[in-house]
Amino acid sequence: MNAVDPIRSRKAIQAISTYLREKSPRDYLLFKLGINTALRASDLLTLRAKDVFEYGAPKDNLVVTESKTGKTRIIPLNDSAKEAILFYAGKADDFKIEPETYLFPSEKTGLPITRGQFWRLVNDWAKLVGLEGKYGCHSLRKTFGSTAWRANQPIESIQRAFNHSSPAVTCTYLGITQKDVENVYYSVNL
């Protein structure tokens, strides 16, 4: 698998969100949950209505058993994720809040969209806003981590959110650049 970049620009994140909100409620929810939950594509794409809704309202937490690790994680749904869930439920013509309904169905099959379809969507969104680099499914997960790190969240907390085995894995995963390292020196400036 080739490495992909996170979306580091808040302006680009906002532009993608605005575009998707107008164009596709399903894709808007896919993008917003992807960047706000740090779920892997395999876990994100298979979410069902029962995973995010309870009594017609968004749940406070997702409870997900990761397909890669088999571990169960509890992921808080922030206000942005909840807003996207409510928007999708209110706007999607064919979406019914039935417990077993997939959140991200293919228009052809009703089953979850494939990783290939997801990769193309993320790649298209990045191109749409003029981002240079490599973008794909994992870019949304990495965007979560990059944003958390730039907001001065401890690496150890981000590691736990990603369910990584060590802080070193998380540091590598975040793709910390030479400019990031230089900024450490400039920020100390005693």
Side-chain angles (χ1 to χ4, degrees):
M1 179 188 304
N2 293 330
V4 294
D5 297 313
I7 303 169
R8 290 184 175 93
S9 161
R10 287 224 182 231
K11 186 176 179 182
I13 291 169
Q14 185 58 49
I16 292 169
S17 293
T18 300
Y19 172 77
L20 293 176
R21 192 174 168 89
E22 292 297 317
K23 182 182 180 283
S24 171
R26 181 201 72 183
D27 293 353
Y28 175 70
L29 179 60
L30 179 61
F31 180 69
K32 295 298 267 189
L33 283 183
I35 63 175
N36 283 291
T37 63
L39 285 172
R40 290 179 181 89
S42 56
D43 299 320
L44 181 62
L45 295 177
T46 57
L47 288 175
R48 296 175 187 259
K50 67 182 179 183
D51 297 320
V52 298
F53 281 104
E54 189 168 56
Y55 308 114
K59 289 183 174 183
D60 289 328
N61 300 296
L62 280 176
V63 179
V64 177
T65 301
E66 294 181 325
S67 59
K68 181 176 180 176
T69 65
K71 294 179 182 176
T72 299
R73 293 180 52 210
I74 298 172
I75 301 167
L77 290 172
N78 63 25
D79 290 341
S80 184
K82 287 180 180 180
E83 179 278 327
I85 292 165
L86 287 172
F87 180 78
Y88 181 43
K91 292 290 186 178
D93 295 332
D94 57 349
F95 182 72
K96 306 255 186 301
I97 304 178
E98 300 290 332
E100 297 301 321
T101 303
Y102 287 108
L103 291 181
F104 311 112
S106 164
E107 293 173 6
K108 293 179 184 174
T109 66
L111 296 173
I113 62 171
T114 65
R115 282 183 63 91
Q117 289 170 303
F118 186 27
W119 182 89
R120 280 188 295 281
L121 287 170
V122 175
N123 212 305
D124 289 347
W125 303 336
K127 287 179 186 172
L128 177 79
V129 298
L131 294 175
E132 294 183 16
K134 294 180 181 179
Y135 296 90
C137 306
H138 232 50
S139 292
L140 303 188
R141 182 169 157 87
K142 286 187 169 189
T143 298
F144 171 90
S146 176
T147 303
W149 183 71
R150 291 179 193 292
N152 298 315
Q153 293 299 312
I155 288 291
E156 296 81 5
S157 295
I158 299 169
Q159 170 201 344
R160 301 259 328 248
F162 279 146
N163 203 11
H164 283 162
S165 59
S166 73
V169 171
T170 302
C171 287
T172 300
Y173 189 84
L174 291 176
I176 296 171
T177 65
Q178 180 58 35
K179 179 108 175 109
D180 295 326
V181 174
E182 290 170 8
N183 286 338
V184 170
Y185 289 95
Y186 293 130
S187 70
V188 173
N189 202 23
L190 301 170

